[in-house]
Amino acid sequence: MKLSFIVSDQTNPYWNIAVENYFVSQPDDGTVVLYLWKNRRTVVIGQNQNPYSECNIEALNNDGGYVMRRTTGGGAVYHDDGNINFSFIAPYDLYDQALQFEVIRRALLTFGIESQLSGRNDILCQGRKFSGNAFSKGRHQRLHHGTILIKGNLDDLQKYLKPKPAKLHKHGVASVKSRVVNLSELATIDSSNIIPALHDAFEEVYGQKATTIDFHDIMKEPQVIELHDHFCSADWIYGNWSTFVATKKGQFEWGEVELAITVDEKNGVITNVEIATDSLDTTITDRIRNILVNSSASHPPTIDNQHEDTNTIKDILSLIY
């Protein structure tokens, strides 16, 4: 096993996600990568989310911000210069979420900050969230990335993100702002001194030295340039979501979902399904489409109870039947 450590000096989100996905696409050479990066004034949405329902796009654009769609599931988050992000990229046999979370926990301990995992993808301190995490699987590599909120502008967070009333009710709070915490409120920590702490914790947890990679060398790779152009394209970010009108909505333990269903009234068959969701499972949308399209709009289709996502599928079907 080898360790690689890389820090971006860019705040343009499309370069940062391009480099991340470049590493995810690489063949297995026995290396675990820790990649640190910052985005400037960016709302990051999950792969299957509707940007128009997650973000105040007009306000963000007017202020010179960015909307970025990532390749992982989960919900929308806000990044700015007071937020540092981390990515662990590792081959399947070296990928270990317990070790990866331990790197974050141990780095924060150097500042006297105790942290705890919570729910499906959050890290908390004193009951308040400072890190959201998401995960995906590539052909050769797996990805675990997340945020560390250090000195973010919480007013901007509230300005640009559109919180869902169901989520706020579920958490028993009145705003997004009250659910999160800047770590700089709790310790003398900033986005510069946390970088060496993460580097040292990475080497300590994995028990060996890490090779530092120059970010600009990676930026010059033709594949990275191609990925940058893809991630900043309007087709990838917005697609046809501007015309999406949800006909069914639901909030479940695993996340929220909005469905737009088209039915052929003549024969009562579902002809099209569009799905917006913050599920961590990025493939669930395709499976739901495969189940519903060409099925009866009045009688639920039969599903295989042996699949691990059966309960999620049943939840979504309950919105229709």
Side-chain angles (χ1 to χ4, degrees), residues 271-296:
T271 57
N272 189 44
V273 180
E274 295 296 333
I275 309 170
T277 179
D278 64 353
S279 169
L280 291 173
D281 181 356
T282 58
T283 65
I284 193 67
T285 55
D286 287 337
R287 291 202 290 281
I288 289 296
R289 288 191 191 96
N290 290 337
I291 290 171
L292 288 177
V293 172
N294 297 323
S295 67
S296 168

Side-chain angles (χ1 to χ4, degrees), residues 7 25 48 58 61 104 180 191 238 264 278 293 298 300-301:
V7 180
S25 70
N48 295 313
E58 183 177 2
N61 287 338
I104 307 304
V180 300
S191 57
Y238 299 107
D264 184 334
D278 64 353
V293 172
S298 57

Side-chain angles (χ1 to χ4, degrees), residues 155-229:
D155 291 326
D156 279 354
L157 180 150
Q158 195 157 1
K159 177 181 180 181
Y160 300 130
L161 286 183
K162 290 182 178 179
K164 299 297 191 300
K167 279 189 175 181
L168 297 179
H169 176 74
K170 176 183 175 183
H171 290 279
V173 293
S175 69
V176 173
K177 190 174 176 181
S178 67
R179 291 170 49 203
V180 300
V181 62
N182 272 313
L183 295 183
S184 60
E185 299 174 22
L186 310 176
T188 305
I189 182 172
D190 57 42
S191 57
S192 59
N193 64 17
I194 195 174
I195 291 175
L198 287 164
H199 173 274
D200 292 348
F202 184 42
E203 292 186 335
E204 182 181 341
V205 169
Y206 283 88
Q208 59 183 285
K209 295 294 183 181
T211 300
T212 299
I213 299 174
D214 187 276
F215 183 82
H216 286 269
D217 289 343
I218 303 299
M219 280 183 69
K220 297 173 186 175
E221 293 286 341
Q223 187 181 345
V224 171
I225 296 170
E226 183 178 336
L227 285 165
H228 166 271
D229 294 345

Side-chain angles (χ1 to χ4, degrees), residues 11 13 39-44 60 66-68 77-79:
T11 58
N39 291 331
R40 177 185 178 274
R41 193 172 289 157
T42 302
V43 171
V44 183
L60 186 62
Y66 304 91
V67 180
M68 186 186 85
V77 294
Y78 178 65
H79 293 174

